[in-house]
Amino acid sequence: MKKIILLVALIMLTSVSLSRSMADPRGYPSNGKHYLESSSDLSNWGAGGYFESRDRDVIIDHDTLLMGSSEIVGYVSYDVIRWISIYGLAGYAQHDFGEEGFSSGNSGEYGFGAKFNFFNHEILDPLLLENRLAINGGLQYSASTADWNGEDAQINELAASLTIGLINDIEGHKLFVPLAIGIFGGGIYSKLFGDIEEAEALGATFGLDIYYSEKVTLEVRAEDWVNTTWMGGVHVRC
């Protein structure tokens, strides 16, 4: 099982290095300290950031257009209780509308959200070795603006996700630095409202978490509505 997870990790990292990074906004404070036994003394505070660029079909003025977005976002998170993290985010975004050629320049982006660790259980099956099964969910609101025909078009997004993941403890392996590697997949929902609406709200996601150390987690994620998109980020536990 370890070999399978490590092979998937290698394939995904290679894909990210060869692909254009695109994705939907997602703050994702890592619950890594709950997966690693030696991390129990870390604080409830965390911080991180992610970069993404995405292509998505949207509806504006009754027309369906391809909106390309580039975003750089930072966030600060706090574990309210063991299985709930809340966070606030801020950054900037740029939106372009397909062949129409309209560009927003740089717009501020802000939002807030919550991450839920619904289920986290160690698998005792000897065939799976040191694995944990996790079911996570998330809710997020974010807002930014885009220039449309010389006016500010408000973009509000309400996003939700539900994923199932498998975390493999590889601590002590001589050939790998990370303490653990996790893979996950599930469903996502993204509703745009304001001056711009989404053409498709339901999608799927899969990704990879690399628990580089007790404090640092790296994540790469793919999301799909019509166009497959990629994103990447880092989370630091204080």
Side-chain angles (χ1 to χ4, degrees):
M1 187 66 186
K2 287 186 176 182
K3 292 182 179 179
I4 294 175
I5 292 181
L6 294 175
L7 178 59
V8 171
L10 180 60
I11 292 173
M12 292 187 65
L13 288 174
T14 303
S15 299
V16 170
S17 66
L18 297 177
S19 302
R20 179 171 175 260
S21 175
M22 302 174 292
D24 182 63
R26 192 75 62 241
Y28 44 85
S30 169
N31 289 323
K33 76 169 188 173
H34 305 322
Y35 302 143
L36 305 175
E37 295 297 331
S38 59
S39 300
S40 59
D41 60 339
L42 298 181
S43 80
N44 290 344
W45 289 96
Y50 57 92
F51 169 80
E52 55 187 345
S53 63
R54 54 174 175 165
D55 291 331
R56 186 176 183 185
D57 290 329
V58 298
I59 300 172
I60 183 169
D61 289 344
H62 307 291
D63 292 327
T64 300
L65 300 173
L66 182 66
M67 182 176 73
S69 302
S70 298
E71 304 171 19
I72 297 178
V73 175
Y75 62 86
V76 175
S77 67
Y78 181 77
D79 291 350
V80 180
I81 57 178
R82 182 176 176 83
W83 58 282
I84 298 179
S85 296
I86 59 174
Y87 59 91
L89 62 90
Y92 84 91
Q94 178 173 325
H95 307 286
D96 301 288
F97 295 96
E99 298 178 357
E100 301 296 329
F102 293 99
S103 174
S104 70
N106 292 336
S107 163
E109 181 173 1
Y110 63 90
F112 54 88
K115 198 77 171 177
F116 308 94
N117 181 214
F118 294 121
F119 181 80
N120 182 21
H121 181 68
E122 185 174 357
I123 301 174
L124 300 179
D125 189 330
L127 295 179
L128 296 177
L129 301 176
E130 303 92 349
N131 286 304
R132 287 180 177 269
L133 184 67
I135 298 177
N136 295 318
L139 290 173
Q140 178 176 296
Y141 167 80
S142 61
S144 62
T145 60
D147 180 73
W148 178 255
N149 289 334
E151 298 182 357
D152 287 339
Q154 185 69 31
I155 304 175
N156 300 304
E157 180 182 27
L158 182 63
S161 65
L162 182 64
T163 62
I164 183 170
L166 188 65
I167 300 93
N168 181 233
D169 182 5
I170 57 175
E171 187 175 5
H173 198 296
K174 295 181 179 180
L175 298 180
F176 295 93
V177 175
L179 298 180
I181 289 179
I183 55 175
F184 61 88
I188 51 177
Y189 173 83
S190 173
K191 175 68 176 177
L192 300 181
F193 56 97
D195 299 314
I196 296 177
E197 299 180 357
E198 81 289 344
E200 180 65 46
L202 295 176
T205 184
F206 67 91
L208 170 72
D209 286 320
I210 302 175
Y211 300 97
Y212 184 78
S213 70
E214 294 179 357
K215 293 186 176 182
V216 179
T217 305
L218 308 176
E219 179 173 351
V220 291
R221 177 193 296 261
E223 296 178 348
D224 180 75
W225 286 278
V226 176
N227 304 298
T228 299
T229 65
W230 294 92
M231 71 176 293
V234 58
H235 178 77
V236 179
R237 178 68 61 176
C238 300

